[in-house]
Amino acid sequence: MTTLVDRTDTLTRDALAVLQPGFVGTTAPDWLLRRIGEGLSSVGLFGRNITSPGQLAALTARLRAEREDVLVAIDEEGGDVTRLEVRTGSSFPGNYALGSVDDVELTRAVAAELGRRLAECGVDLNWAPSADVNSNPDNPVIGVRSFGADPDLVARHTAAYVRGLQSAGVAACTKHFPGHGDTAVDSHHALPRIDVELATLHSRELQPFRAAISAGSKSVMSAHILLPALDPDRPATLSPQVLTGLLRQELGYDGLIVTDGMEMQAISAVYGIERGSVLAIAAGADAICVGGGLADEDTVLRLRDALVTAVRKGELPEERLADAAARVRALADWTRGARGAASEPGAASQEGTAPGTEIGLTAARRAVRVTVGDPLHEPLTTAPYVAAFTPVANIAVGDETPWGVAAELSRLLPGTETGTYADAAVDDVLLAADGRRIVAVVRDAHRHLWMSQSLDALVAARPDTIVVEMGLDAAPPRGALHVATYGAARVCGIAAAEAVAGT
């Protein structure tokens, strides 16, 4: 006979099981370990939690000492969005660089190597890849995180990435369903809206997600975007029409549905995280991602209690919460089995997933595109002046990860100097360069008028200027030499410096 105490305990454990919170620090706080013991099934890691692979491995081992089947998740896309290498820049180019090469075996190999490194550190759920079709080049939050603007290309590389990552025993989380690529607003700050017809959504946005589902993606992340063609009232994360009607029923997806961060303003400013979390689970989501900004015990308890209270009031079916918790536990079971299979002697080589540690740099070098604007241009042989025109980074990328070419050029050409500019300051650049060759480094120059104007003025004053674009290559080439890297990962900077120096 089930007692009220038993039911309450089950409800509480299920409510904890669907949460994916973060925390502050590089060791697990006592409150987190205590809640894992009480039923918390997932933990999300961010750059603030990581200092080295060894430290990360020790952290995940401590979490699993409390509970063997806890899911350890991370937002490690590679490229511009890295948590493993947040302080140095990623050893892997991002999606846009991989899409520009358009070699699906290379994409699979890069994802497999990234997955291998995550698995070695005890991470078993990666909130990647981004399957968004970047159809709007002015998109402020996706950009180089997308494989490109062509749905067919994005679909085949999304599938390759999912297969590569999961071959290493790390579950993929394909995002941001049903597609964040045609937005002009960052959902970290407000609610984006996509006004396109259903036919466009099916032929463009949804194509990569179909490919991911066919490839066996173990989880899918919802987007905080409003699509009136699907649901005129609620964003996708909170919409039964989107998560249950479209993703579950129409597309036939049976894996874990994870929300994007519930503290993002698109949800929290309109619904609040407690109400938003209840609506998300009711709509068909299985796991609530929270912790990028809110990372404390109080947040976990508030969300747990909101879910339990919603069940008791009849606002959230108990069966729906139980189903969501069961899906989380099922993924945890898969990752445990996958970890064991991936760690068997010879497993990586049998699956073709051990390309070596140079795969990231190899991919970045293949992605670089060089346009010679001056037929008399010669590679640099003396130390240049690097002018880095720096835009404000979006929250997903963060501003703590270094980018650019100055460090590598300094190694290749000792004496290289650099300056950072956040607005039009061409006279300052010319003065600081003091006659040396100028290397102007930009990121999405087409999206920033001041940056584009600065480049035009700089090239007009110094036609021998070399331009390195480390974002979307959406503007015409400028300068005596124009180098497009299709991303700002550390390896992209190395590849660009080699191109500039002619090595």
Side-chain angles (χ1 to χ4, degrees):
M1 177 178 178
T2 301
T3 67
L4 180 60
V5 173
D6 292 335
R7 179 172 179 268
T8 300
D9 184 62
T10 299
L11 276 178
T12 300
R13 292 186 69 83
D14 285 350
L16 282 171
V18 303
L19 303 180
Q20 291 189 350
F23 62 95
V24 176
T26 55
T27 58
D30 290 342
W31 71 261
L32 182 65
L33 298 174
R34 183 167 62 253
R35 300 305 171 189
I36 290 173
E38 294 173 359
L40 185 68
S41 296
S42 308
V43 175
L45 300 180
F46 298 86
R48 63 176 180 249
N49 304 124
I50 301 167
T51 60
S52 69
Q55 170 269 328
L56 178 55
L59 171 59
T60 59
R62 180 66 188 91
L63 295 173
R64 291 204 169 88
E66 197 66 35
R67 179 175 175 174
E68 170 60 26
D69 63 346
V70 67
L71 277 170
V72 181
I74 199 169
D75 191 8
E76 180 58 51
E77 298 176 14
D80 290 27
V81 180
T82 179
R83 312 306 180 210
L84 284 180
E85 300 177 279
V86 66
R87 291 166 182 80
T88 61
S90 181
S91 299
F92 303 93
N95 286 3
Y96 193 51
L98 294 172
S100 73
V101 177
D102 195 14
D103 179 344
V104 291
E105 280 304 305
L106 178 66
T107 295
R108 185 204 60 78
V110 166
E113 176 63 14
L114 179 58
R116 184 189 66 79
R117 295 190 188 186
L118 289 172
E120 281 188 344
C121 294
V123 176
D124 51 15
L125 171 59
N126 190 13
W127 295 320
S130 169
D132 308 292
V133 178
N134 198 58
S135 53
N136 181 0
D138 291 327
N139 192 315
V141 68
I142 300 301
V144 296
R145 300 168 66 197
S146 166
F147 287 110
D150 176 60
D152 289 335
L153 180 145
V154 176
R156 60 179 174 265
H157 285 276
T158 296
Y161 194 107
V162 167
R163 292 189 179 102
L165 188 65
Q166 294 187 169
S167 71
V170 175
C173 186
T174 306
K175 61 188 183 184
H176 306 80
F177 185 84
H180 211 309
D182 194 21
T183 58
V185 173
D186 185 342
S187 50
H188 290 89
H189 302 299
L191 178 63
R193 178 185 176 111
I194 300 180
D195 288 299
V196 298
E197 298 178 350
L198 277 176
T200 300
L201 288 173
H202 279 276
S203 63
R204 188 179 65 186
E205 272 76 17
L206 295 180
Q207 192 171 334
F209 290 97
R210 289 194 186 92
I213 293 169
S214 296
S217 184
K218 294 298 178 180
S219 62
V220 168
M221 178 176 283
S222 66
H224 303 330
I225 56 176
L226 187 68
L227 298 102
L230 294 171
D231 187 334
D233 301 316
R234 290 183 178 175
T237 293
L238 312 183
S239 172
Q241 292 96 311
V242 175
L243 298 189
T244 299
L246 177 60
L247 184 53
R248 289 277 188 231
Q249 296 173 357
E250 188 171 345
L251 299 186
Y253 180 65
D254 195 40
L256 187 77
I257 300 177
V258 183
T259 72
D260 207 344
M262 297 300 286
E263 68 270 38
M264 294 163 64
Q265 293 295 300
I267 298 296
S268 62
V270 180
Y271 300 91
I273 62 169
E274 295 95 335
R275 180 64 178 160
S277 296
V278 170
L279 292 174
I281 296 296
D286 305 306
I288 301 296
C289 176
V290 64
L294 299 171
D296 53 39
E297 183 176 22
D298 179 64
T299 299
V300 172
L301 297 181
R302 284 162 53 201
L303 296 183
R304 179 201 66 183
D305 294 346
L307 292 167
V308 171
T309 300
V311 170
R312 289 174 175 164
K313 288 184 175 181
E315 298 172 352
L316 173 63
E318 185 173 355
E319 297 78 9
R320 172 79 274 273
L321 180 60
D323 173 64
R327 289 180 187 276
V328 174
R329 294 171 186 134
L331 180 59
D333 288 342
W334 179 86
T335 59
R336 279 196 295 175
R339 281 201 305 273
S343 63
E344 290 174 359
S349 59
Q350 290 170 6
E351 295 296 326
T353 60
T357 57
E358 290 296 309
I359 187 67
L361 183 55
T362 297
R365 286 168 173 158
R366 289 183 62 185
V368 164
R369 297 291 182 273
V370 177
T371 303
V372 179
D374 182 350
L376 300 179
H377 164 78
E378 294 183 359
L380 284 174
T381 56
T382 59
Y385 180 76
V386 177
F389 294 94
T390 305
V392 176
N394 67 59
I395 292 176
V397 173
D399 58 8
E400 67 268 52
T401 304
W403 66 282
V405 302
E408 183 63 16
L409 274 179
S410 294
R411 186 185 69 81
L412 297 174
L413 299 169
T416 295
E417 294 186 11
T418 187
T420 300
Y421 303 87
D423 54 25
V426 173
D427 290 341
D428 293 340
V429 174
L430 294 173
L431 182 64
D434 192 26
R436 283 172 294 176
R437 194 84 178 269
I438 297 171
V439 178
V441 185
V442 296
R443 200 170 181 177
D444 293 336
H446 71 285
R447 289 186 51 237
H448 306 283
L449 181 60
W450 68 267
M451 195 182 296
S452 184
Q453 290 175 340
S454 295
L455 280 184
D456 288 339
L458 193 57
V459 171
R462 289 286 302 272
D464 63 343
T465 296
I466 297 170
V467 176
V468 179
E469 170 61 81
M470 303 193 77
L472 287 184
D473 192 31
R478 296 175 171 93
L481 190 74
H482 182 93
V483 180
T485 63
Y486 302 92
R490 176 172 53 83
V491 287
C492 296
I494 293 173
E498 291 173 346
V500 167
T503 59

